[in-house]
Amino acid sequence: MNKVQSHSLLTDFDIDLFKAGKHFRLYEKLGAHIIEVEGVKGVYFAVWAPSARSVSVVGDFNYWIQGDHQLQVRWDSSGIWEGFIPGLEKGTTYKYKIQSNNNDIITEKADPFALYCEHPPHTASVIWDLEYKWKDKSWMDNRKDKNGLDKPYSVYEVHLGSWKRNAEGKFLTYLEFAEDLVNYVKETGFTHVEFMPIMEFPYDPSWGYQLVGYFAPTSRFGKPQDFMFLVDKLHQAGIGVILDWVPSHFPDDAHGLGFFDGSNLFEHPDRRKGYHPDWKSLVFNYGRNEVRSFLISNAIFWLQHYHADGLRVDAVASMLYLDYSREEGEWEPNIFGGRENLDTISFLKDFNEAVYSNFEGVQTIAEESTSFSMVSRPTFVGGLGFGMKWMMGWMHDTLQYFQKEPIYRKYHQNDLTFSMTYAFSENFMLPLSHDEVVYGKKSIAGRMPGDEWQKFANLRLLYGYMFTHPGTKLLFMGAEFGQSSEWNFEGSLDWHLLQYDFHDGIKKVITDLNALYKTYPALHEKQFSPEGFEWINYSDFQNAVMSYIRKGNDPKDDLVVVCNFTPVIRENYRIGIPKKGKLTQVFNSDETIYGGSGKTFTKSIKIEADPCDGRDFSAALVLPPLSVTVFKIS
């Protein structure tokens, strides 16, 4: 006798939306929901498995026996199986045992909508709820003033498993991060934290980018409410939260989404579109409406129930191009003969429209490494609709330049100046991310040439240049204090390095640059507009010096930035200034408190009526070695 009662949370309208790819809150209907039916408490289950012959809920409550708790398929051809099991409680583990119409294949799957999962390597779903009393109302009510495109946006990218570990080398908990990480980010002045994927994943070396529990924070660090507490504490400290989101691919683990009901349900059935050769993973079928509903519901879920302030979408380029990482003959052109995945383009537009229409003050950010146009332009003008896009070209060219010995830099100044030819074609974020400190690339500090003093001077110069370049900023954990070794996901950052002056100096530089970025409107008000930037001189390659002006809404806020990319002190170096007055130094990366040489000069410098750089006025400066200096015009 089946012990499942007939019950449904789904309406006909829900089904219509689901089939149309427009149901963006599926998590309210599918999955496991603790409810009460006619005075009896229990759990309602609903799962999409259109190719199933039968679906049973199995778990520790029925000794994992198939058939005792069999769900009923709906009459409306939606492929959804559902039912109410009385007496089940929060904390019960379960899976779906699915017998397929496809040669009677039997799969045992975790719930795609599970709110909580067992700690890997265990793979069952756990009945849970989302009850939590948030205390971040002030942040949520005002976050549009903190999260806008004209606001300072400095992101600290974090991998929770390796940011810090306890004395026994074990993971910290979400609750411990809510103390240690929150205090640290607040101290260093970052405006946002970006978490590498915290959704449940089975394999640590994937860093979280191969997901099986799209609606569940990983149990490695605690319970779902513990992660809510961490987000809550960040918000109370005035820090925004960005989550890495991975709609690009998923693993073929037996308990995951792959071949879910004995058919290619979530993945594209054509292996040329449904398999990723680089990561040996499966690719979502973006043209299937039900899959679109699943993915966009997942994005909305994290914004709604975990108060995320943004989603950074991973590997967008791999989604956009049919020939991505494929040889000739391994892909098929679209109906127009092109290489663009038209289903992906449509899906990403729908995703961004759903996010921005449902939430005020959030941002979506694309990790997109190609020249695909209008990624961060609104959909109503033909764009994909993202708020920002990673500026991968800037990252590549800048690191390539800084790796060179200063004596050779005069031959490569165009590596730096080139970014300004396309800097405003998108709303760019400048990333120095986790991808740049693995697989033999060295740490950011380890790339810098010269002796120890020059290495750290170059690093301070790099960060000064980054924070004064147009665009928002992202820095991977450890880079803010000059981590010497490559990132190791299996251990902790090398926090002991902060006892050394040079490393402590890097941390002070980052702290002060974050303060500079937030304090001076010229660095953020027009960070995505050509009106916010003006070259003074980009052609002095012989001295490897660049100078430029950053501008805000008020001309009185203009800042002058001068970068000296060699260890040679430039005495009496004259630059053109657009108006009379004086220059007041507001930042100098060569200060002794940072580990610099202390080659300073009078804080206030008179602007003279001496034409230079095509301007009627100019000022004579002393440029410290390997330095960025920033001045306010007054």
Side-chain angles (χ1 to χ4, degrees):
M1 178 180 175
N2 189 23
K3 302 171 184 177
V4 179
Q5 297 179 9
S6 178
H7 188 76
S8 184
L9 296 181
L10 290 151
T11 66
D12 291 345
F13 186 54
D14 287 321
I15 299 301
D16 289 343
L17 288 175
F18 179 47
K19 289 180 176 180
K22 297 296 183 181
H23 200 312
F24 300 152
R25 283 181 166 79
L26 271 181
Y27 49 86
E28 295 177 352
K29 303 301 175 80
L30 300 189
H33 298 269
I34 302 171
I35 63 172
E36 188 174 304
V37 177
E38 296 180 352
V40 178
K41 292 182 178 179
V43 176
Y44 165 79
F45 294 91
V47 61
W48 179 50
S51 292
R53 177 176 297 176
S54 68
V55 177
S56 295
V57 182
V58 296
D60 52 6
F61 62 94
N62 66 2
Y63 305 101
W64 302 92
I65 297 174
Q66 177 183 359
D68 275 7
H69 294 86
Q70 188 166 304
L71 302 179
Q72 298 299 312
V73 68
R74 287 179 61 89
W75 58 270
D76 51 22
S77 73
S78 64
I80 294 173
W81 297 72
E82 61 184 349
F84 174 73
I85 303 179
L88 292 190
E89 298 178 340
K90 179 178 176 179
T92 303
T93 57
Y94 71 101
K95 284 185 179 178
Y96 296 118
K97 182 86 81 170
I98 303 171
Q99 185 173 13
S100 176
N101 282 318
N102 183 7
N103 297 321
D104 285 334
I105 292 171
I106 296 177
T107 60
E108 190 172 284
K109 295 292 187 177
D111 188 347
F113 287 86
L115 302 177
Y116 190 28
C117 301
E118 284 190 307
H119 192 299
H122 299 294
T123 58
S125 303
V126 183
I127 295 171
W128 210 254
D129 61 36
L130 294 169
E131 292 182 8
Y132 178 81
K133 189 174 181 179
W134 289 89
K135 299 178 181 178
D136 63 347
K137 187 176 187 303
S138 177
W139 170 270
M140 295 296 286
D141 287 346
N142 298 285
R143 71 174 172 183
K144 64 180 180 298
D145 298 323
K146 302 283 188 180
N147 219 26
L149 295 177
D150 60 346
K151 306 298 181 185
Y153 210 96
S154 175
V155 180
Y156 186 55
E157 186 189 22
V158 175
H159 177 262
L160 285 176
S162 57
W163 182 72
K164 185 185 288 185
R165 297 200 176 184
N166 64 21
E168 290 77 41
K170 296 181 179 179
F171 294 139
L172 298 186
T173 66
Y174 290 128
L175 300 180
E176 290 171 322
F177 284 117
E179 183 74 23
D180 293 2
L181 179 64
V182 172
N183 289 338
Y184 184 76
V185 174
K186 189 172 183 179
E187 176 193 354
T188 48
F190 290 94
T191 64
H192 292 72
V193 168
E194 179 181 318
F195 290 117
M196 291 169 65
I198 53 84
M199 301 81 178
E200 193 60 79
F201 59 99
Y203 188 50
D204 283 349
S206 78
W207 311 334
Y209 288 100
Q210 301 246 1
L211 305 181
V212 293
Y214 270 76
F215 291 82
T218 178
S219 55
R220 287 167 174 80
F221 314 112
K223 297 178 173 61
Q225 280 77 5
D226 298 339
F227 182 63
M228 292 178 185
F229 182 78
L230 171 55
V231 175
D232 206 353
K233 284 295 185 181
L234 285 162
H235 282 172
Q236 291 174 51
I239 299 162
V241 176
I242 303 166
L243 301 181
D244 268 15
W245 187 52
V246 192
S248 47
H249 63 120
F250 57 94
D252 61 359
D253 291 59
H255 67 293
L257 298 178
F259 211 56
F260 188 80
D261 61 353
S263 72
N264 300 120
L265 188 63
F266 289 93
E267 67 272 26
H268 200 288
D270 184 342
R271 197 167 175 83
R272 292 173 296 179
K273 296 180 181 179
Y275 179 76
H276 200 295
D278 282 356
W279 303 313
K280 297 178 173 56
S281 54
L282 303 175
V283 179
F284 285 103
N285 185 354
Y286 306 108
R288 188 165 192 171
N289 285 340
E290 295 91 342
V291 173
R292 293 163 77 107
S293 288
F294 170 81
L295 286 172
I296 297 177
S297 289
N298 184 244
I300 298 295
F301 172 83
W302 292 100
L303 296 167
Q304 178 181 344
H305 285 291
Y306 285 87
H307 288 201
D309 305 295
L311 297 171
R312 176 264 192 187
V313 183
D314 181 62
V316 172
S318 75
M319 300 167 65
L320 285 173
Y321 293 102
L322 297 166
D323 63 344
Y324 187 91
S325 286
R326 290 173 172 83
E327 301 296 330
E328 188 175 348
E330 296 178 346
W331 63 282
E332 183 179 45
N334 62 37
I335 58 173
F336 301 110
R339 51 195 284 259
E340 297 81 12
N341 189 325
L342 303 181
D343 289 336
T344 294
I345 293 170
S346 171
F347 161 71
L348 290 173
K349 289 180 178 182
D350 280 358
F351 151 71
N352 280 309
E353 287 174 358
V355 167
Y356 283 105
S357 64
N358 279 279
F359 299 93
E360 186 177 33
V362 301
Q363 296 293 345
T364 61
I365 305 164
E367 187 223 357
E368 203 286 306
S369 55
T370 74
S371 58
F372 193 95
S373 63
M374 301 181 72
V375 171
S376 59
R377 294 294 179 258
T379 58
F380 61 78
V381 297
L384 292 183
F386 285 93
M388 286 176 262
K389 169 182 170 173
W390 276 18
M391 198 176 189
M392 308 294 277
W394 172 90
M395 173 275 298
H396 177 271
D397 292 345
T398 298
L399 291 179
Q400 182 172 274
Y401 178 88
F402 270 87
Q403 286 175 192
K404 293 179 170 62
E405 292 286 347
I407 193 172
Y408 301 117
R409 288 178 177 172
K410 63 182 178 181
Y411 304 112
H412 301 278
Q413 190 141 313
N414 61 304
D415 285 351
L416 296 185
T417 58
F418 180 67
S419 66
M420 293 312 303
T421 65
Y422 65 96
F424 306 109
S425 62
E426 300 276 3
N427 297 338
F428 279 120
M429 172 177 280
L430 313 183
L432 293 177
S433 74
H434 65 275
D435 279 329
E436 309 318 314
V437 292
V438 290
Y439 301 140
K441 296 178 184 176
K442 302 181 180 179
S443 66
I444 301 298
R447 282 172 157 86
M448 300 298 108
D451 58 23
E452 185 180 41
W453 188 92
Q454 288 194 8
K455 282 181 181 294
F456 282 92
N458 270 304
L459 192 58
R460 296 190 299 270
L461 171 57
L462 167 62
Y463 292 155
Y465 166 64
M466 175 183 183
F467 272 78
T468 57
H469 188 288
T472 53
K473 330 295 175 188
L474 178 139
L475 200 62
F476 182 57
M477 63 182 198
E480 82 283 0
F481 62 78
Q483 170 99 1
S484 302
S485 58
E486 276 193 344
W487 170 48
N488 175 16
F489 75 92
E490 295 181 300
S492 171
L493 295 180
D494 294 331
W495 293 104
H496 65 278
L497 292 176
L498 282 168
Q499 67 185 302
Y500 302 110
D501 289 344
F502 279 135
H503 293 277
D504 183 57
I506 295 297
K507 181 185 171 188
K508 289 175 178 172
V509 162
I510 290 297
T511 301
D512 287 355
L513 284 171
N514 275 324
L516 188 80
Y517 184 34
K518 289 186 280 190
T519 301
Y520 290 94
L523 294 178
H524 58 257
E525 284 184 341
K526 294 184 177 181
Q527 58 193 341
F528 299 128
S529 168
E531 297 175 351
F533 180 90
E534 179 184 332
W535 281 114
I536 294 175
N537 190 331
Y538 59 84
S539 60
D540 186 10
F541 59 89
Q542 290 292 349
N543 290 312
V545 173
M546 292 192 325
S547 51
Y548 45 90
I549 300 172
R550 291 299 309 278
K551 301 177 178 182
N553 295 328
D554 188 339
K556 294 179 181 177
D557 295 329
D558 288 359
L559 295 179
V560 171
V561 182
V562 187
C563 303
N564 178 11
F565 295 102
T566 72
V568 178
I569 299 172
R570 306 291 178 190
E571 303 278 357
N572 197 35
Y573 189 90
R574 189 167 290 275
I575 62 170
I577 306 294
K579 57 186 178 182
K580 293 181 180 179
K582 64 179 180 179
L583 296 180
T584 303
Q585 180 181 289
V586 295
F587 177 80
N588 180 352
S589 68
D590 192 49
E591 296 283 358
T592 54
I593 59 169
Y594 305 140
S597 70
K599 179 64 180 179
T600 59
F601 44 92
T602 306
K603 295 289 184 182
S604 181
I605 300 169
K606 184 179 179 182
I607 298 173
E608 302 167 323
D610 189 353
C612 182
D613 294 324
R615 294 167 177 82
D616 293 333
F617 306 96
S618 63
L621 313 176
V622 177
L623 304 186
L626 294 170
S627 69
V628 172
T629 44
V630 183
F631 305 90
K632 191 175 188 310
I633 306 176
S634 56

